[in-house]
Amino acid sequence: MKIRNIMQLTFIFLMLVGCKSSGEFDPGPFARENDEEKTLLTFKVTDASGEPIEDAYVVSYRQLAPKHIRVGEGYTDDEGEIQLEDQSHTTKGYATITAPGHNSKKVDLDVKQKQENDISVTLSDQDVLKVMSYNIQEGFKNNAQQRQEFAEWVRIYDPDIILFQEMMHFTDATFATFAKTYGHDYAVLTKTVGIPTGITSKAEIKDIRKVVQTGVLHHGYVTGETFGMRVFSIHLCPYELDNERNVHQIARKDEVKIIMDDAALYASVPIIVGGDLNDHNTFDRDSYGPGYRYANRDHTVTNTLSTYNFHDTYPLLHKEFKPTWPVDNVSSNGPNEGARLDYIFVSDNVKNTVVYSDIIQSAYTDKFSDHYPTYIEIKRSTN
């Protein structure tokens, strides 16, 4: 059954709610002063010809410096409309809108309080390549219902390529069958033991290489060519060198150098590297500002990718902080002290064709994994 219930999710963040010294309950900064005075956002989503787009998915965020808080989401109806109530009492924010067969869009919002706001959004017909990367936490924990719900949900984005991490509990055959449930006829795993990475695609995956080096690469990686792109699905060591579970003393900086030296062999074609790097970055430190919990963490891995002329796709199109982990904390409290461990990097010859990027936080991705997926759209060549 299609996941179709229209959700008008309003997150009243418990971490922001306290008690006044008098003992009177304090509803926090998102409380309405008057129950009759509502701030409503009515989104009208159409295509280039003005026809309504049914089942476009809208997610609305409000700025609560230095973060953005998700305040509502849902599907448009057959008139292309959805109305969300915004209880944040803030004016600045943005919304993301996506629909199968169309390019996704981010729109900046300047909300007028205590009245209805009409927001018209036009989505172009799809002329982009859609790519997702997702650490799916132990292969959906071998839960068949979760796999089915993922397959239904992912059709909202309808990616052409998915780069997976933690694809446990799959064989080559069951992974191929799983991929077909969301329209991908091609699938490959690094391995079927341990914690594999994987790639699925609507187009054939050619020149596949599965790289497993025990004691050198913690999880290994898989690479192949599809849609004229060289893609890598990678997952770096989750442990620091002084962690007793890091029995082979594997350093992420060494892993990423091996992968980047490998990617350099394909410099004549566009390259995408996606995965869980288990490392932090200067953009998140700077966009969050003072108080960012991970500001002094190691940035060696992401800096190394930059030295090889690869580009972190999220900062290419965004200025605001947005984490990929840990989902339980982020979904309950907003970005809070979350971090971005998951990335899609692209080679220099792809950078200027990235027209959309996002970290997909929604009611669905709140439950699939302990990580949120990363996502990009790349303008297709007109040649």
Side-chain angles (χ1 to χ4, degrees):
M1 180 179 67
K2 181 179 179 183
I3 303 175
R4 178 61 178 82
N5 295 333
I6 293 180
M7 292 167 294
Q8 298 189 50
L9 304 177
T10 304
F11 294 90
I12 309 298
F13 299 103
L14 299 180
M15 292 296 288
L16 300 175
V17 176
C19 295
K20 297 180 180 179
S21 57
S22 66
E24 180 184 356
F25 177 72
D26 181 357
F30 285 177
R32 281 200 302 268
E33 295 175 3
N34 185 324
D35 285 343
E36 300 305 317
E37 297 176 323
K38 295 183 179 182
T39 301
L40 301 175
L41 308 182
T42 301
F43 292 86
K44 173 75 172 180
V45 183
T46 60
D47 63 18
S49 64
E51 291 298 312
I53 300 176
E54 184 179 5
D55 289 340
Y57 202 75
V58 178
V59 185
S60 182
Y61 294 85
R62 225 29 92 249
Q63 184 174 343
L64 189 67
K67 303 165 287 190
H68 282 73
I69 304 297
R70 176 161 39 110
V71 296
E73 61 188 281
Y75 289 98
T76 56
D77 60 19
D78 58 4
E79 296 296 321
E81 293 188 2
I82 180 172
Q83 187 174 83
L84 302 172
E85 182 182 356
D86 183 353
Q87 295 187 24
S88 69
H89 285 305
T90 58
T91 59
K92 301 297 183 182
Y94 69 92
T96 59
I97 303 94
T98 193
H102 297 83
N103 297 351
S104 301
K105 194 168 191 176
K106 175 186 174 184
V107 294
D108 292 324
L109 300 176
D110 192 354
V111 176
K112 295 179 181 178
Q113 297 297 303
K114 301 178 182 178
Q115 64 183 67
E116 185 171 345
N117 295 260
D118 293 323
I119 302 155
S120 297
V121 180
T122 301
L123 298 185
S124 302
D125 290 343
Q126 183 175 341
D127 60 0
V128 295
L129 183 75
K130 300 183 175 184
V131 183
M132 182 180 291
S133 181
Y134 206 167
N135 178 329
I136 205 60
Q137 193 181 16
E138 300 179 9
F140 303 93
K141 293 187 177 293
N142 208 23
N143 184 311
Q145 181 177 344
Q146 285 276 62
R147 294 179 184 180
Q148 179 182 344
E149 290 180 0
F150 169 86
E152 293 167 346
W153 164 79
V154 81
R155 289 181 179 273
I156 301 169
Y157 288 85
D158 194 24
D160 299 290
I161 304 167
I162 305 180
L163 310 175
F164 283 109
Q165 300 83 49
E166 292 201 19
M167 294 311 290
M168 300 159 68
H169 310 296
F170 283 96
T171 65
D172 290 331
T174 60
F175 188 50
T177 299
F178 169 67
K180 290 179 185 298
T181 64
Y182 54 85
H184 284 201
D185 289 333
Y186 301 92
V188 58
L189 288 171
T190 311
K191 54 191 178 182
T192 54
V193 295
I195 302 179
T197 61
I199 302 169
T200 69
S201 178
K202 291 181 179 179
E204 183 181 0
I205 306 171
K206 304 175 183 178
D207 191 23
I208 295 166
R209 293 178 47 247
K210 305 176 182 183
V211 184
V212 179
Q213 299 180 24
T214 303
V216 178
L217 298 169
H218 191 79
H219 294 305
Y221 63 93
V222 62
T223 178
E225 185 176 328
T226 186
F227 285 100
M229 315 280 290
R230 169 59 52 171
V231 297
F232 288 75
S233 181
I234 72 175
H235 188 180
L236 302 187
C237 184
Y239 307 119
E240 305 303 324
L241 284 172
D242 59 358
N243 190 309
E244 63 181 15
R245 299 182 68 179
N246 193 349
V247 294
H248 295 292
Q249 292 288 285
I250 294 173
R252 289 186 289 271
K253 65 181 181 63
D254 297 331
E255 290 186 287
V256 77
K257 187 176 186 306
I258 290 170
I259 295 166
M260 287 292 95
D261 286 342
D262 188 353
L265 301 175
Y266 305 98
S268 62
V269 299
I271 304 171
I272 300 174
V273 178
D276 179 356
L277 305 189
N278 279 307
D279 195 57
H280 303 275
N281 61 87
T282 57
F283 173 81
D284 288 356
R285 177 197 66 194
D286 297 341
S287 60
Y288 192 99
Y292 180 50
R293 179 177 177 182
Y294 302 98
N296 297 319
R297 292 293 182 93
D298 182 49
H299 302 155
T300 303
V301 169
T302 51
N303 289 344
T304 298
L305 280 148
S306 296
T307 64
Y308 278 80
N309 293 319
F310 277 74
H311 303 273
D312 181 356
T313 53
Y314 182 75
L316 286 179
L317 299 172
H318 300 275
K319 295 180 180 179
E320 61 275 356
F321 171 84
K322 197 173 186 181
T324 66
W325 167 94
V327 164
D328 285 348
N329 195 1
V330 175
S331 62
S332 299
N333 307 313
N336 198 25
E337 295 183 345
R340 195 159 55 101
L341 302 181
D342 307 84
Y343 305 81
I344 298 177
F345 276 79
V346 296
S347 54
D348 208 38
N349 54 2
V350 182
K351 174 186 175 183
N352 293 333
T353 67
V354 178
V355 294
Y356 183 86
S357 65
D358 196 18
I359 294 158
I360 303 174
Q361 298 176 355
S362 76
Y364 301 116
T365 58
D366 284 345
K367 64 182 180 179
F368 290 140
S369 174
D370 57 341
H371 292 246
Y372 288 113
T374 54
Y375 177 77
I376 63 173
E377 295 180 2
I378 301 170
K379 199 75 173 177
R380 292 181 185 268
S381 172
T382 57
N383 296 334

